[in-house]
């Protein structure tokens, strides 16, 4: 198949631009080319020399009408050397750029006796204007024309006569913008040290160990604000991203009861949920499904990528998992990432009864010793610590306490909001939340309550409401013994996160990053 060097037209009517391409001869004009080696703009523009000072003013007689040609001389020469045949117009452009010689190509209708202009020879501009004409004549009439880029010809004044001299054709080599060797070496050291292309892969530890936990509680019904499963999946991914960024240790998903408004005659009304109209029974079932979906997605995103196949079974809630954003948390390690801690799954038990075979994301399983007499069951997720040239199973809280970094979050699902306080804090026996913050638009501003916060809390809990708000959710829970008006008694502080909000409502997925960002300075001081 013959390869041709020809023009591919782009642009709009009356303002064409062309690409110089290498393409098979039988293909259409604008078909996919093998390679693009340059561009050509046939419309001349008036250009001026570089000013010598700020006071230098441009004058019309100093301007030059030029056409722009950008050509990769190295690739064009290579294609010619392997037998590519240029079209009539491209052959003229190659001749003006000095890459070919007169008479090198036998193309019908082409003037092969035109030599490349030089400084010693003055050529009338009319002798060059013919070969530079495009196939479609332009309505504009310019007495002078030139080409800049790899080949440049021009006239100092477009109003000059045909005897005005032309500057020689010049082939400009592309400017080398690569840094010098010293700068390249410095850039390589910077990339290896800080990895700017993947900054989240390296977590920065606190100056001191972190001895407190941060938990958030929110209803799963917030997913029902989205109308489609794809949007619900994206919403759950936004919640997981916010928790990962602000080092949340525990996410509690509680069930929000259904509050169906009643009409004046006492009959139950259908409540609009998204784009569907549902009764109270249907809505309660949808809320339960939303709780399960949120728990499944949060658990899936927190699990390291090399453990998901072994730990996360297939579920309908994860059908759109491919559109979820990655968390890139410190325990989401790649195979070549150095770390003294790794998340793992138990594969089998050794015969000695004190060690197990675990998968930590490397090529082969490793052996890890256990400090307790009871071995974890197969398929259980564990945390491994490499010390004294061997792996051992440790508590998942140890990386946070030793390194001061967040080591993922645990997900807990409770049937009602009162179970948050009845169960032990962060899954630790005999532990309670010593700082509980409730959020509501009827609370006090955070800045006025910061002075009364304890200086060194051990377990911090932030509770966010759903579509109906925290007051009705607490009032509907009989175990709390509170009403909607006395719901604030359940919390240590009743906070309004955004006192001067510009919207009538703030959604839970929006209130979550606001709360975490507002409390970040206080949490960093603990």
């Amino acid at each position: 198949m013959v390869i041709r060097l020809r023009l591919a037209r782009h642009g709009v009517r009356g303002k064409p631009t062309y690409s110089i391409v290498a393409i098979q001869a039988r293909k259409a004009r604008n078909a996919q080319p093998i390679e693009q080696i340059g561009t050509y703009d046939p419309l001349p523009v008036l250009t001026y020399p570089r000013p010598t000072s700020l006071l230098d003013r441009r004058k019309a007689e100093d301007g030059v009408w030029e056409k722009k040609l950008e050509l990769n001389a190295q690739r064009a020469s290579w294609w010619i050397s392997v037998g590519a045949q240029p079209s009539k117009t491209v052959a003229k452009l190659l001749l003006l750029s000095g890459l070919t010689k007169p008479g090198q190509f036998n193309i019908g209708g082409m003037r092969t006796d035109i030599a490349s202009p030089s400084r010693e020879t003055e050529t009338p501009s009319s002798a060059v204007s013919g070969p530079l004409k495009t196939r479609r004549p332009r309505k504009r009439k310019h007495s002078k024309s030139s080409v800049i880029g790899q080949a440049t010809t021009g006239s100092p004044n477009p109003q000059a006569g045909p005897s005005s001299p032309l500057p020689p054709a010049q082939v400009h080599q592309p400017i080398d913008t690569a840094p010098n060797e010293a700068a390249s070496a410095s850039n390589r050291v910077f990339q290896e040290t800080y990895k700017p292309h993947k900054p989240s892969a390296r977590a920065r530890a606190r100056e001191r160990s972190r001895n407190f936990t941060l938990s958030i509680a929110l209803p799963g019904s917030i997913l029902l604000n989205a109308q489609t499963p794809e949007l619900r999946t994206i919403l759950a991914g936004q919640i997981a991203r916010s928790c990962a960024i602000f080092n949340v240790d525990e996410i509690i998903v509680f069930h929000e009861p259904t509050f169906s408004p009643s009409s004046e005659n006492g009959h139950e009304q259908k409540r609009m949920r998204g784009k569907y109209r549902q009764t109270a029974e249907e809505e309660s079932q949808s809320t339960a499904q939303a709780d399960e979906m949120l728990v499944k997605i949060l658990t899936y995103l927190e699990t390291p990528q090399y453990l998901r196949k072994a730990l996360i079974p297939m579920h309908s809630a994860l059908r759109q998992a491919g559109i979820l954003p990655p968390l890139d948390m410190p325990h989401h390690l790649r195979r070549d990432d150095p770390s003294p801690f790794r998340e793992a799954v138990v594969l089998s038990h050794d015969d000695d009864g004190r060690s197990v075979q675990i998968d930590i994301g490397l090529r082969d399983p490793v052996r890890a010793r256990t400090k307790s007499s009871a071995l974890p069951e197969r398929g259980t997720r564990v945390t491994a610590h490499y010390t004294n040239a061997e792996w051992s199973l440790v508590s998942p809280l140890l990386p946070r306490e030793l390194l001061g970094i967040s080591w993922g979050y645990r997900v807990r699902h409770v049937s009602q909001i009162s179970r948050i306080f009845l169960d032990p804090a962060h899954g630790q026996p005999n532990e309670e939340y010593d700082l509980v913050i409730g959020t509501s638009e009827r609370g006090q501003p955070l800045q006025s309550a910061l002075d009364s916060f304890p200086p060194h809390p051990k377990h911090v809990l932030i509770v966010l409401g759903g579509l109906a708000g925290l007051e009705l959710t607490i009032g509907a829970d009989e175990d709390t013994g509170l009403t909607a008006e006395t719901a604030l008694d359940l919390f240590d502080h009743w906070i309004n996160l955004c006192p001067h909000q510009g919207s009538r409502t703030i959604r839970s997925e929006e209130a979550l990053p606001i709360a975490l960002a507002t409390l970040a300075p206080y949490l960093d001081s603990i």
Side-chain angles (χ1 to χ4, degrees):
M1 185 65 68
V2 178
I3 303 300
R4 298 292 302 272
L5 300 180
R6 65 188 188 193
L7 299 179
R9 178 177 173 131
H10 309 285
V12 297
R13 182 176 181 180
K15 295 182 180 180
T17 59
Y18 296 91
S19 298
I20 305 176
V21 298
I23 192 173
Q24 295 182 2
R26 294 184 179 180
K27 289 203 171 182
R29 182 191 65 183
N30 286 357
Q32 182 68 26
I34 302 175
E35 183 183 2
Q36 178 178 334
I37 62 175
T39 59
Y40 171 56
D41 187 359
L43 299 181
V45 294
L46 185 63
T47 60
Y48 299 88
R50 177 177 295 182
T52 57
S53 65
L54 296 177
L55 299 178
D56 187 13
R57 296 184 178 180
R58 295 177 176 178
K59 299 180 181 180
E61 58 270 16
D62 297 334
V64 179
W65 291 91
E66 297 176 331
K67 299 179 182 179
K68 186 175 181 181
L69 169 66
E70 295 181 355
L71 185 64
N72 190 332
Q74 182 179 2
R75 297 300 300 168
S77 301
W78 183 85
W79 280 110
I80 295 174
S81 65
V82 297
Q85 296 295 320
S87 65
K88 180 179 179 180
T89 306
V90 173
K92 298 173 185 177
L93 296 177
L94 294 176
L95 180 63
L96 288 175
S97 64
L99 298 179
T100 59
K101 299 178 180 179
Q104 183 173 350
F105 299 102
N106 186 14
I107 300 176
M110 176 180 175
R111 297 179 57 183
T112 58
D113 57 340
I114 300 179
S116 177
S118 60
R119 296 186 181 272
E120 294 77 16
T121 305
E122 295 184 355
T123 306
S125 59
S126 59
V128 182
S129 60
L132 284 182
K133 289 182 180 178
T134 59
R135 295 181 180 178
R136 182 178 179 179
R138 299 187 306 273
K139 295 182 179 180
R140 291 184 180 181
K141 295 183 179 181
H142 302 282
S143 58
K144 305 296 177 230
S145 61
S146 61
V147 179
I148 65 171
Q150 296 296 335
T152 306
T153 62
S155 173
N157 187 358
Q159 305 297 332
S163 60
S164 301
L166 285 174
Q170 301 175 1
V171 178
H172 300 280
Q173 297 297 331
I175 299 175
D176 186 10
T177 58
N180 53 34
E181 296 181 0
S184 300
S186 177
N187 293 341
R188 286 194 298 269
V189 173
F190 180 85
Q191 292 179 2
E192 295 174 358
T193 305
Y194 299 101
K195 295 185 178 180
H197 61 285
K198 202 69 174 178
S200 57
R202 287 175 174 256
R204 297 183 58 183
R206 291 164 54 97
E207 297 179 357
R208 56 187 182 278
S209 61
R210 182 180 172 187
N211 298 321
F212 71 94
T213 63
L214 176 60
S215 304
I216 66 164
L218 71 169
S221 60
I222 62 176
L223 295 187
L224 298 179
N225 256 345
Q227 288 78 18
T228 63
E230 291 81 6
L231 295 178
R232 295 172 186 173
T233 302
I234 295 175
L235 194 153
Q238 293 175 352
I239 295 174
R241 285 285 301 174
S242 299
C243 295
I245 292 173
F246 291 99
N247 303 323
V248 173
D249 300 297
E250 182 186 31
I251 304 178
I252 306 171
V253 180
F254 62 87
H255 180 75
E256 182 187 37
T258 303
F259 305 100
S260 296
S262 299
S263 61
E264 296 179 357
N265 56 10
H267 294 288
E268 182 183 0
Q269 294 180 345
K270 287 190 176 182
R271 182 179 177 181
M272 182 67 71
R273 179 73 79 177
K275 64 179 181 179
Y276 303 102
R277 298 181 63 86
Q278 299 177 335
T279 62
E281 183 180 356
E282 296 171 343
E283 188 175 2
S284 178
Q285 184 179 3
S286 300
T287 304
Q289 294 175 354
D291 296 346
E292 184 181 14
M293 182 177 185
L294 182 58
V295 170
K296 292 290 184 182
I297 294 178
L298 292 177
T299 305
Y300 173 83
L301 286 175
E302 190 276 338
T303 305
Q305 62 277 8
Y306 55 88
L307 297 181
R308 290 172 180 170
K309 185 177 182 180
L311 298 177
I312 307 296
M314 296 182 63
H315 195 272
S316 59
L318 302 175
R319 193 168 296 171
Q320 287 81 24
I323 63 178
L324 288 170
L327 299 187
D328 272 340
M329 303 182 76
H331 66 293
H332 289 190
L333 299 170
R334 279 70 172 173
R335 182 174 296 176
D336 55 345
D337 289 341
S339 176
F341 295 95
R342 274 185 175 267
E343 291 296 291
V345 60
V346 178
L347 300 178
S348 61
H349 297 167
D350 290 344
D351 297 335
D352 58 1
R354 296 183 178 179
S355 59
V356 293
Q357 295 291 326
I358 59 175
D359 179 12
I360 59 174
L362 302 181
R363 295 184 181 275
D364 301 317
V366 298
R367 181 184 181 185
R369 293 187 175 275
T370 59
K371 297 181 180 180
S372 61
S373 57
L375 297 179
E377 298 181 357
R378 297 178 179 86
T380 304
R381 177 177 169 179
V382 294
T383 302
H385 182 209
Y386 186 77
T387 179
N388 298 327
E390 66 175 3
W391 290 94
S392 59
L393 302 185
V394 297
S395 169
L397 303 179
L398 190 61
R400 174 176 55 82
E401 296 174 356
L402 292 183
L403 303 181
I405 61 176
S406 174
W407 199 252
Y409 55 78
R410 65 187 297 263
V411 183
R412 183 155 61 101
H413 182 219
V414 294
S415 57
Q416 51 191 9
I417 193 171
S418 59
R419 298 301 307 177
I420 300 176
F421 308 96
L422 297 177
D423 296 339
H426 203 265
Q428 302 180 23
N430 304 323
E431 294 286 346
E432 296 181 355
Y433 297 102
D434 47 4
L435 177 58
V436 182
I437 302 174
T439 59
S440 173
E441 61 182 7
R442 288 164 289 278
Q444 61 176 333
L446 177 62
Q447 298 300 329
S448 60
L450 279 177
D451 296 337
S452 58
F453 280 14
H456 300 289
K458 192 172 183 180
H459 300 290
V460 181
L461 173 64
I462 306 173
V463 185
L464 303 174
L467 302 177
L470 278 179
E471 292 92 336
L472 291 179
T473 303
I474 296 173
D477 191 344
E478 298 179 355
D479 294 339
T480 60
L482 301 173
T483 63
E485 296 180 354
T486 60
L488 56 90
D489 296 338
L490 189 62
F491 306 97
D492 298 328
H493 297 279
W494 193 241
I495 299 300
N496 184 0
L497 297 173
C498 190
H500 308 289
Q501 63 190 54
S503 175
R504 289 182 295 178
T505 58
I506 297 181
R507 299 187 176 186
S508 300
E509 64 271 16
E510 300 168 344
L512 176 60
I514 294 175
L516 297 176
T518 307
L519 292 173
Y522 165 73
L523 297 175
D524 291 340
S525 63
I526 300 176

